[in-house]
Structure formats: C-alpha cells, structure tokens
C-alpha cells in the first residue's frame, strides 16, 4: 500500500461525546497518531486537576511536542454557587489558554477535554466555545470531548462520534481502575 500524498491540510473540528466511556481515550489516541506524524499536540483538560494521578500525563512527559495541561480543580461535588465559583474561575482561565492555543499557530492539534461537561455545569457559556471555533486557524485540528455536546457545535463539526454505554463495570461495583480510568 502506498503512502498517501501530502496535501494542504484543512483543520477539522472533531467531537467525541455520549454517555459511554472512551471520549478522552479516543482524543488521546488521535493525539498520539498526530504526534506520530510529526504534529504538535496540546491537550487542555478543563476539569481534571494537576493533583489527580493521570497515566496519560505521565506517558506524554516523554514525548517532545505532545503536552497535556490539567487546568481544572477536579470533580465538581456540589451545584451551589459557593461550590461552583472556584470551578467557574478555573474554567475561565482554561478558556483563555484555549483561545491562545487555537489562535497562536504553535499547535497542529488541540484537544479541549471535557469542554462539554464544563458547559453543562454552567462553568462556561456555549458562546465561549463558539468564539474559540471562530478563532481557530483554518489548518488547526480541534477535538472536543465530553457528555452532552450542544447541537450547535455538532452542526459545525466535521466529525462527530457518540460513545454509547452498553455495559460498564461501575454498575457491577468495580471501582475506577488504574491505567483504565486514570
């Protein structure tokens, strides 16, 4: 089989959503594939905290040109204003980093991990995400993950994959497993 010829790259907007497991995993796999083709990859984690022991961060520390930045505060426990305020501020700061990343030209693929969950929790507004889509360089690939992708984003995307839960070990009392969930 011959190698595909290089062509002018058209940046794609890719959405990984749904109630099933595998959205972040798919985006990370996409990032690894892109990195293997010499692309520079940035993953911005909107909810994950730097203190959470995520295996993917350990792995990419060894890959020059592939970076993961956890910008969240971790699990959102409550829905009251006092509980949401610090998460909202962290999400706003992550949004600023995301805007710079999509407009800056340093990266070939940017992943906004759990951006849709940040939207559904009210940490960000849908207009904020559309502003990022509008600011994106035409050659930048952008992957968005999380449950509950808004229809307006699905309409704008070039690729949408919905993960559907058929069976999950949590329902059988099996807790998060190192190397599988984190």
């Amino acid at each position: 089989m011959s190698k595909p010829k290089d062509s002018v790259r058209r940046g794609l907007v890719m959405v990984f959503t749904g109630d099933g497991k595998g959205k972040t995993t798919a985006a990370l796999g996409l990032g690894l594939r892109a990195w293997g083709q010499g692309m520079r990859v940035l993953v911005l984690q909107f909810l994950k905290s730097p203190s959470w022991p995520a295996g993917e961060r350990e792995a990419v520390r060894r890959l020059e040109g592939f970076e993961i930045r956890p910008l969240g505060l971790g699990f959102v426990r409550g829905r009251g204003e006092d509980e949401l305020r610090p998460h909202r501020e962290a999400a706003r700061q992550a949004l600023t980093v995301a805007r710079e990343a999509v407009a800056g030209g340093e990266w070939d693929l940017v992943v906004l991990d759990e951006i849709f969950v940040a939207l559904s929790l009210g940490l960000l507004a849908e207009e904020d995400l559309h502003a990022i889509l509008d600011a994106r360089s035409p050659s930048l690939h952008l992957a968005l993950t999380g449950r509950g992708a808004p229809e307006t984003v699905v309409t704008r995307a070039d690729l949408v994959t919905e993960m559907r839960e058929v069976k999950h070990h949590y329902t059988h009392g099996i807790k998060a497993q190192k190397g599988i969930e984190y």
Side-chain angles (χ1 to χ4, degrees), residues 22-36:
K23 297 171 287 292
T24 297
T25 305
L28 290 170
L30 179 69
L32 188 60
R33 176 178 282 162
W35 181 85

Side-chain angles (χ1 to χ4, degrees), residues 41 124 173:
V41 178
L124 299 172

Side-chain angles (χ1 to χ4, degrees), residues 9-116:
R9 184 171 76 220
R10 178 191 179 279
L12 301 173
V13 174
M14 297 160 282
V15 168
F16 300 100
T17 192
D19 66 356
K21 180 175 171 27
K23 297 171 287 292
T24 297
T25 305
L28 290 170
L30 179 69
L32 188 60
R33 176 178 282 162
W35 181 85
Q37 292 292 342
M39 295 175 149
R40 297 155 301 164
V41 178
L42 175 63
V43 178
L44 300 175
Q45 296 177 317
F46 273 74
L47 297 180
K48 293 173 181 143
S49 163
S51 64
W52 184 255
E56 62 265 23
R57 288 197 312 267
E58 290 301 316
V60 302
R61 281 193 179 128
R62 301 176 187 112
L63 305 178
E64 186 176 329
F66 193 135
E67 191 175 321
I68 298 177
R69 296 183 201 163
L71 301 172
L73 301 178
F75 294 109
V76 178
R77 304 265 184 233
R79 299 294 187 260
E81 185 53 37
D82 288 343
E83 292 89 4
L84 288 177
R85 187 176 297 112
H87 290 281
R88 192 172 287 121
E89 180 55 35
R92 287 252 151 242
Q93 290 173 8
L95 191 66
T96 299
V97 173
R99 277 192 200 111
E100 292 169 2
V102 301
E106 181 181 351
W107 306 100
D108 299 301
L109 168 64
V110 173
V111 176
L112 304 183
D113 185 40
E114 300 289 3
I115 185 89
F116 300 135

